[in-house]
Amino acid sequence: MASSRRPDQATPQSAPVPPPRSKPRIGDAFTALQNAQFRMLWFGMLFAQAAMQMNLVSRAWLAYTISGSAVALGLVSLARGLPQSALSLFGGAIADRANKKALLIAVQFMLAALSAVNAVLVHLDIVQVWHLVVLSVLQGLIFAFNMPTRQAIIPEIVPEDQLPNAVALNSSGMNLNRVLAPSLAGLLLAWHPALAFDLIAVFYGMAALMLLRLPSLAPAAKRSRSALADMVDGVRYVGANPALRSLIVLAFIPVMIGMPFQQLLPVFQKDVLHVGEASLGFMYAAVGVGSLIGSLSVGAIQGAETRARLQMFAGIAFGALLVAFALSPFLGLSLVVLAVVGLASQGYMTLNSVMIMERTDRAYYGRVMSIYMLTFSLSPVALLPMGWSIDHFGAVETQAAAGILLAALLLLYFGAGRIRAWMRPGVPAEVPAGVIAEVSPGLVRGE
């Protein structure tokens, strides 16, 4: 069986088998935090994730406020997604070749600089949609390196038995900020919008300073080949692995159809529910509360088959709940539904991420995660036609149709029997020997 263990870790044959537990314990959701290096990473990334969540709320609000058009909102989001998509594979190859600590710190400082420029434009009251488009393009270029590196660094600092928990805790940290950061952004936007963008820049800077405490991490991939060759190798690796292919498709469907609801919340806040900016922060926070519960719950789940079946139910529920949110006429009911939407959507995506990491060899983490993150960067592509549909048919109709389509597609995909392939951990035997042997000859021998 294939393995993603580091050389200093025990092989499957020599590793002790832990006694089975009939019920997960609450403490199981936090075991990876016992690892000192992971704690440094986790606390450092809390600042970066807070900045990212505040920026999603603040920039979406700003784009819609100065334009009054959902198409403009989609255009700003698309400007971030397209360059991130174009460079995502290259970013993954660099993440596997570079010192991940140094790369991640450089990325945080660059994001801080862009956020500072955004803040200055708002302070001077000269910000226009084209400014937001340019800043989003530059941010997308940087995020092409940020997201794969952030995900790929986790397996470098935790042992394999803690990997599912560490991935879940990483998602939990992001979702904790989805509770707190949007509420803070909403309050600052209602008080003085420029302060929200000031704090975003400060948080990115603090993230970079916190990450300085991490040890230097040597690259996992060989440097003898070009980055382009590594990119091609990574695509071949995923293409030859049926489980990884299925899991990436299962990430792509909800990201393209379901996840854009978060960028559309300013439209529902202003034109459907008719509430103020502070309520927009509460709407994002409601999603974050549910998401936090969903990701923490995943951290305590044992067993590949259990995770696979839970992902199926969570994905279909995600689509159905989006329909319920679209049809809700009151803020109170919308907040409750959004919390459950967050639970289902983040539970689904965290389970998907855990299973991808379990089935990936160490030297391919960055490239596999870049392909995985490519699905997220393509989300704004779907937001533009959804914005057009909202302007022509209405927000309620557009969001309800998206929810129905999401539930139907996932039901068809799971119903086609594809659940069996991605239940099984490990790199399959049919992965070409030329791909794996260059990194880990033992994988070809089935070790």
Side-chain angles (χ1 to χ4, degrees):
M1 179 180 291
S3 173
S4 58
R5 288 176 171 80
R6 298 194 297 270
D8 59 336
Q9 292 177 304
T11 63
Q13 289 85 351
S14 61
V17 178
R21 289 199 303 267
S22 57
K23 294 182 180 179
R25 298 174 300 186
I26 295 178
D28 292 341
F30 304 96
T31 53
L33 287 177
Q34 298 172 8
N35 184 308
Q37 293 183 9
F38 179 73
R39 280 202 307 273
M40 292 181 194
L41 174 67
W42 192 77
F43 283 110
M45 294 314 297
L46 283 181
F47 288 106
Q49 290 161 347
M52 182 177 67
Q53 293 299 324
M54 288 186 67
N55 192 56
L56 287 174
V57 177
S58 302
R59 191 170 291 177
W61 172 87
L62 187 59
Y64 193 64
T65 298
I66 63 180
S67 68
S69 169
V71 171
L73 189 156
L75 192 62
V76 170
S77 184
L78 183 65
R80 176 179 58 84
L82 286 181
Q84 184 176 343
S85 301
L87 285 181
S88 182
L89 295 178
F90 180 70
I94 295 300
D96 281 335
R97 296 165 64 88
N99 184 307
K100 293 181 178 62
K101 172 189 173 181
L103 181 57
L104 200 55
I105 290 172
V107 161
Q108 306 312 310
F109 276 127
M110 287 187 284
L111 290 172
L114 286 179
S115 301
V117 171
N118 200 154
V120 169
L121 291 172
V122 177
H123 274 291
L124 296 177
D125 197 22
I126 60 173
V127 65
Q128 299 179 34
V129 172
W130 74 266
H131 291 138
L132 300 180
V133 169
V134 171
L135 289 170
S136 294
V137 168
L138 295 174
Q139 187 182 61
L141 293 172
I142 296 171
F143 261 94
F145 299 88
N146 179 56
M147 302 302 285
T149 307
R150 192 176 74 185
Q151 293 290 327
I153 202 172
I154 297 175
E156 296 285 327
I157 59 178
V158 299
E160 186 174 329
D161 61 341
Q162 291 182 356
L163 180 58
N165 183 253
V167 173
L169 282 171
N170 184 60
S171 296
S172 299
M174 181 179 68
N175 292 319
L176 178 62
N177 278 304
R178 291 173 73 179
V179 178
L180 303 177
S183 300
L184 179 58
L187 292 173
L188 290 175
L189 290 173
W191 180 32
H192 195 307
L195 294 179
F197 294 96
D198 291 337
L199 195 56
I200 291 168
V202 170
F203 277 173
Y204 274 128
M206 293 179 68
L209 294 175
M210 287 288 293
L211 293 173
L212 289 172
R213 302 180 62 192
L214 280 177
S216 180
L217 297 171
K222 295 180 178 179
R223 292 179 178 269
S224 58
R225 300 182 304 174
S226 67
L228 179 60
D230 282 343
M231 290 167 56
V232 173
D233 192 30
V235 173
R236 288 175 59 208
Y237 176 80
V238 172
N241 191 319
L244 287 178
R245 288 202 311 266
S246 292
L247 286 165
I248 288 173
V249 169
L250 287 170
F252 179 80
I253 293 173
V255 164
M256 290 295 291
I257 302 173
M259 290 302 184
F261 86 94
Q262 297 179 80
Q263 281 73 44
L264 297 175
L265 289 183
V267 181
F268 279 85
Q269 165 245 321
K270 186 174 182 180
D271 296 340
V272 178
L273 300 174
H274 306 290
V275 293
E277 289 84 358
S279 296
L280 175 62
F282 295 140
M283 292 168 70
Y284 278 103
V287 178
V289 169
S291 299
L292 178 61
I293 297 172
S295 54
L296 281 175
S297 300
V298 167
I301 293 174
Q302 305 289 328
E305 183 172 347
T306 301
R307 284 194 284 267
R309 294 192 182 279
L310 283 177
Q311 185 189 20
M312 176 180 65
F313 292 124
I316 295 170
F318 179 25
L321 288 163
L322 284 178
V323 178
F325 165 67
L327 299 177
S328 170
F330 307 113
L331 177 62
L333 178 60
S334 295
L335 292 176
V336 173
V337 176
L338 283 172
V340 190
V341 167
L343 189 153
S345 62
Q346 194 57 43
Y348 178 99
M349 297 309 298
T350 304
L351 285 164
N352 187 270
S353 181
V354 167
M355 289 187 286
I356 286 177
M357 293 293 247
E358 286 180 328
R359 290 156 177 78
T360 302
D361 182 73
R362 178 197 175 203
Y364 285 88
Y365 281 140
R367 282 164 287 176
V368 170
M369 294 314 296
S370 72
I371 296 172
Y372 176 62
M373 291 300 171
L374 184 61
T375 63
F376 289 87
S377 62
L378 288 173
S379 177
V381 176
L383 190 58
L384 192 60
M386 288 184 73
W388 179 89
S389 178
I390 287 173
D391 286 346
H392 287 77
F393 302 107
V396 172
E397 294 80 0
T398 300
Q399 187 62 80
I404 293 171
L405 180 61
L406 173 60
L409 286 177
L410 288 178
L411 190 60
L412 286 172
Y413 195 92
F414 286 117
R418 291 180 173 87
I419 189 173
R420 292 187 297 273
W422 47 271
M423 278 183 181
R424 300 188 297 271
V427 180
E430 61 266 31
V431 173
V435 176
I436 302 297
E438 296 173 356
V439 178
S440 182
L443 294 179
V444 181
R445 298 191 299 269
E447 296 177 3

